[in-house]
Amino acid sequence: MIEVSHLTKRYGDHTAVSDLSFTVPDGQIYGFLGPNGAGKSTTMNIMTGCLAATAGSVVIDGHDIFDEPLAAKQRVGYLPEIPPLYTEMTPAEYLHFVGRAKGLSGEKLKSEVGRVCRRTDIVPVQSRLIRHLSKGYRQRVGLAQAMLGDPSIIILDEPTVGLDPAQIIEIRQLIRDLGQEHTVLLSSHILPEVQAVCGHILILSHGKLVASDTPDNLERLFAGQTTVRLTADGRADEADAVLRGIAGIRYTLEPGETAQAVVTADDPQAGPDELCRRLFFAFAGAQLPILALAADRASLEDVFLELTQDGGSSPAGAQAPALRAQDVVGPGGESLAGGDSLPQGDEAAEASAADAPAGGDAGRQTPAAPAEGGDEA
Amino acid sequence: MSAIYCREVRSHFTTMTGWLFGAFILLFGGIYTMALCLNGSYAEFEYVLGNMSFVYLIVTPILTMRVLADERRQKTDQLLYALPMSMTKIVLGKYFALLTVLAVPIAVMGLYPLILSAYGNVNLAAAYASLLAFFLLGAALAAVGMYISSVTDSIVANAAICFVAVLVNYYLASLAGYAPSSSTSALAALYFLSALAAAVLLHLTQNPAAGLAALAVCAGGVTAAWFLARDAFEGLLPALFEKLCLFEAFMSFMDGVFDWTAICLLVSAAAVFVLLTVQSMEKRRWSA
């Protein structure tokens, strides 16, 4: 259990973290999400005792990190953004050193080092110098170091940065496994990652907490409008003519020869099913076959951009909280693998993580959610 | 603490620093023993140590430049900060490792007087007392180097600053001869030191009130002393320079005297700089 309350960190005039409060209950995987420079690393450094806070408190399993640093640190395993490895040592030597420094000794030390080596799969390389290991293995050694001593809380700062897609999948699986026995807090600026692993997301922007909810709820909160993406077998002007004949919609044609359009219903309450039906009959009447028709779903990416770009306005817009998860038809948005519910956004999402955040959702229109000034495209 | 100590000792001897350090000391120890004792037929081993004390100018930066600066460069300092261990223990672990590396060549040199005594009449007590002083001089300088390593980020800058610091200390006793000995200049120097202490405190605490208070107390004390005992200020500045020279303290052993004040000076200099290192590392939590 981590309780962070009114945490503030200032560097001179610059406020890195401002009045941050949240609680991470036991046995969950929490994701810290935010663009670079949002204050994720700073917060994590404070939570692990590496940095002092300007104000506020961090309580770990009942021990304040500033008042009882040794007791609190005993309960936390930390993997910083750059794994703190002594490259002239071998993983086995390094882990023995960290284990001893954490107060383990004798048989207990040996069995703990063996356990974390097996868990992180570094047994084959444990007697090679760390400087000769690949980035993936170094990350695992760093992770093994954090797991030593079986701390109840494990804090991971961008654990998959710089890894290849296969390694990312492995590390994520490992984190999911860790979540079975430990409370895990991980940070990332990559959405699909947090979505794939975490049960709860904390979105941080400019040092402030702008949202805290499950991935599903966050998406629901932001799915305000019904938008449908359509591709027809014809020319753009033909599609234009058909669309012009349908009442109660707005649309934009994608530039180019083929008939592609993004269609939005004027009535925000109208479901995507109804809109799809009307489009189908209109195009059928015009002898223009529809090749693809997909309801756009507000992806977490939209939520993320929405929350973090305009200085973090409150997500609770007037027309936002419409329950729409079950309304989704057809294949979902590109970044979400399959139309089913989220947390296990599997291999497809995993692989796309490497080139996220920009890549995942390239041709998307402005964010679907209604907010004050959300079009940054 | 023992975990840090073992890792540091290992690291000094798996990288070049420990070997280079030992090699330098033994090289110069060998040269001077040969030149003075074997060829020059001096039976006093302390002269060897006295003549070779300048090697600390070269070996102190080699030994200490990486101690803490490298942790920061490799980002391993985050591990140290996150360990359930107090910063004092971490710094002491590192410092004792430095002392161990220092002790290895000095222990080897401890054989030389025994070898020499097979061929002549060596005063072993004076030889080993000066060897102890030589070790303590190295210990004090290593503490200075470790402190410098904790305040700078770059290893090269670190080595350069450390070299200059040891060099100034080396020449401090000679410079003392040029320092003005009038009482007013001593007063000015003490005022300057008061201001310096206040500035350091201000920098460490970021608290203007604490800085001003320190300045008021120090300057007030100096002024009061000036009015009470003006004579004491005469020649104070050169004396101060001489007293602060760690090499000079070591040199007092050359006359075959076991100088307790020198031992105290060297040990307290080491303690002060270890303490400063702990403070400087703690301070990084606030600013880095």
Side-chain angles (χ1 to χ4, degrees):
Chain A
M1 172 99 147
I2 312 172
E3 294 155 272
V4 173
S5 51
H6 305 290
L7 199 65
T8 299
K9 177 71 185 174
R10 262 183 238 109
Y11 295 109
D13 294 337
H14 173 66
T15 304
V17 175
S18 145
D19 200 27
L20 189 63
S21 299
F22 61 88
T23 303
V24 181
D26 282 336
Q28 287 214 36
I29 304 184
Y30 263 55
F32 233 151
L33 191 62
N36 292 328
K40 303 187 298 286
S41 291
T42 304
T43 309
M44 290 187 148
N45 276 335
I46 293 173
M47 289 167 68
T48 51
C50 293
L51 262 186
T54 311
S57 73
V58 175
V59 178
I60 297 196
D61 286 344
H63 301 276
D64 190 297
I65 190 86
F66 307 122
D67 296 338
E68 307 169 71
L70 301 190
K73 286 177 187 174
Q74 208 102 50
R75 289 163 173 79
V76 178
Y78 180 38
L79 172 63
E81 196 171 349
I82 298 163
L85 306 174
Y86 293 102
T87 52
E88 79 275 6
M89 298 172 101
T90 68
E93 288 165 355
Y94 173 72
L95 292 173
H96 273 96
F97 156 65
V98 177
R100 282 184 64 190
K102 284 187 176 183
L104 302 172
S105 58
E107 275 305 306
K108 177 92 176 108
L109 173 64
K110 224 178 239 175
S111 69
E112 265 295 295
V113 170
R115 182 184 71 89
V116 297
C117 282
R118 283 190 299 278
R119 278 300 289 275
T120 51
D121 227 353
I122 54 173
V123 179
V125 298
Q126 62 178 335
S127 50
R128 281 166 56 182
L129 286 182
I130 292 178
R131 87 163 72 105
H132 296 150
L133 296 183
S134 68
K135 189 140 187 5
Y137 271 120
R138 287 183 192 206
Q139 198 75 25
R140 282 156 190 254
V141 176
L143 204 54
Q145 164 272 122
M147 288 159 61
L148 266 179
D150 208 17
S152 57
I153 293 160
I154 292 183
I155 296 181
L156 311 169
D157 196 356
E158 311 217 343
T160 60
V161 149
L163 302 183
D164 69 39
Q167 292 169 329
I168 288 177
I169 293 172
E170 286 167 2
I171 293 275
R172 280 189 195 161
Q173 191 52 50
L174 187 59
I175 294 171
R176 266 184 225 123
D177 292 347
L178 282 180
Q180 315 271 315
E181 308 142 36
H182 306 266
T183 306
V184 180
L185 177 64
L186 69 90
S187 79
S188 179
H189 60 268
I190 303 168
L191 258 154
E193 168 155 301
V194 173
Q195 215 167 330
V197 178
C198 301
H200 196 106
I201 299 183
L202 303 163
I203 298 183
L204 209 60
S205 173
H206 302 284
K208 291 196 185 77
L209 192 65
V210 290
S212 163
D213 216 328
T214 62
D216 274 350
N217 281 345
L218 280 176
E219 269 186 295
R220 252 175 241 156
L221 205 59
F222 272 80
Q225 278 175 315
T226 299
T227 303
V228 165
R229 201 172 272 270
L230 171 143
T231 308
D233 188 12
R235 290 195 317 278
D237 56 328
E238 292 173 333
D240 190 28
V242 178
L243 287 168
R244 203 169 296 158
I246 307 172
I249 60 160
R250 281 167 292 134
Y251 64 94
T252 43
L253 284 165
E254 310 254 310
E257 280 296 292
T258 53
Q260 286 190 347
V262 176
V263 184
T264 309
D266 281 343
D267 177 9
Q269 301 304 322
D273 288 5
E274 175 56 26
L275 185 59
C276 286
R277 239 174 256 129
R278 287 168 65 192
L279 287 170
F280 170 79
F281 286 120
F283 275 80
Q287 297 282 309
L288 211 56
I290 290 178
L291 298 178
L293 190 59
D296 252 358
R297 183 169 170 183
S299 78
L300 261 184
E301 213 136 328
D302 296 328
V303 178
F304 180 63
L305 290 174
E306 186 69 36
L307 286 171
T308 55
Q309 283 195 346
D310 41 292
S313 58
S314 164
Q319 32 189 331
L323 263 179
R324 286 192 51 250
Q326 73 275 29
D327 290 345
V328 175
V329 291
E334 298 88 318
S335 67
L336 307 169
D340 52 349
S341 68
L342 280 173
Q344 70 277 29
D346 274 298
E347 266 43 272
E350 312 260 37
S352 78
D355 48 36
D361 229 350
R364 185 179 285 281
Q365 292 292 100
T366 52
E372 296 87 280
D375 20 7
E376 296 272 9
Chain B
M1 190 166 90
S2 69
I4 302 273
Y5 170 79
C6 293
R7 199 209 76 76
E8 286 290 312
V9 171
R10 259 194 60 92
S11 151
H12 283 302
F13 286 109
T14 47
T15 59
M16 219 171 47
T17 50
W19 301 107
L20 203 59
F21 178 82
F24 254 101
I25 291 205
L26 288 178
L27 173 70
F28 282 92
I31 289 174
Y32 279 99
T33 309
M34 184 193 69
L36 291 175
C37 299
L38 300 183
N39 283 0
S41 311
Y42 281 101
E44 288 84 3
F45 184 67
E46 51 270 30
Y47 289 174
V48 172
L49 298 173
N51 274 293
M52 66 177 285
S53 66
F54 76 91
V55 292
Y56 278 131
L57 286 176
I58 306 160
V59 294
T60 314
I62 292 178
L63 183 64
T64 58
M65 63 185 180
R66 299 180 53 171
V67 169
L68 290 160
D70 212 34
E71 299 267 359
R72 209 146 46 241
R73 199 176 55 84
Q74 288 199 42
K75 303 282 177 199
T76 43
D77 56 334
Q78 284 195 309
L79 173 69
L80 299 183
Y81 282 119
L83 283 177
M85 195 187 284
S86 72
M87 192 41 78
T88 313
K89 283 188 176 169
I90 292 172
V91 169
L92 278 180
K94 282 178 168 286
Y95 184 62
F96 287 141
L98 288 179
L99 294 189
T100 307
V101 177
L102 176 65
V104 170
I106 289 183
V108 174
M109 286 213 304
L111 296 174
Y112 296 180
L114 292 179
I115 297 170
L116 293 176
S117 66
Y119 302 100
N121 200 4
V122 179
N123 184 345
L124 288 179
Y128 284 111
S130 53
L131 201 61
L132 173 70
F134 189 70
F135 173 76
L136 290 178
L137 173 64
L141 293 173
V144 174
M146 185 169 73
Y147 172 67
I148 291 169
S149 183
S150 76
V151 288
T152 49
D153 278 337
S154 137
I155 290 175
V156 177
N158 199 343
I161 295 172
C162 185
F163 175 74
V164 171
V166 178
L167 186 71
V168 167
N169 197 274
Y170 186 70
Y171 283 117
L172 204 56
S174 321
L175 287 174
Y178 299 100
S181 59
S182 72
S183 53
T184 38
S185 59
L187 182 69
L190 286 174
Y191 277 141
F192 175 74
L193 284 179
S194 308
L196 197 68
V200 167
L201 198 68
L202 179 65
H203 182 66
L204 284 176
T205 58
Q206 302 289 336
N207 183 352
L212 279 176
L215 184 64
V217 168
C218 292
V222 168
T223 315
W226 168 259
F227 283 113
L228 287 174
R230 201 164 177 160
D231 293 346
F233 281 69
E234 201 73 42
L236 185 65
L237 203 52
L240 195 68
F241 271 32
E242 217 159 292
K243 282 278 178 284
L244 285 179
C245 179
L246 300 173
F247 284 92
E248 194 61 22
F250 162 67
M251 284 301 175
S252 61
F253 281 80
M254 292 307 97
D255 308 326
V257 180
F258 195 90
D259 186 351
W260 280 106
T261 51
I263 299 275
C264 285
L265 175 70
L266 293 173
V267 171
S268 29
V272 164
F273 278 96
V274 168
L275 196 72
L276 280 176
T277 310
V278 174
Q279 290 309 313
S280 142
M281 291 298 283
E282 283 292 347
K283 185 183 174 291
R284 284 194 171 263
R285 255 192 242 271
W286 293 88
S287 56

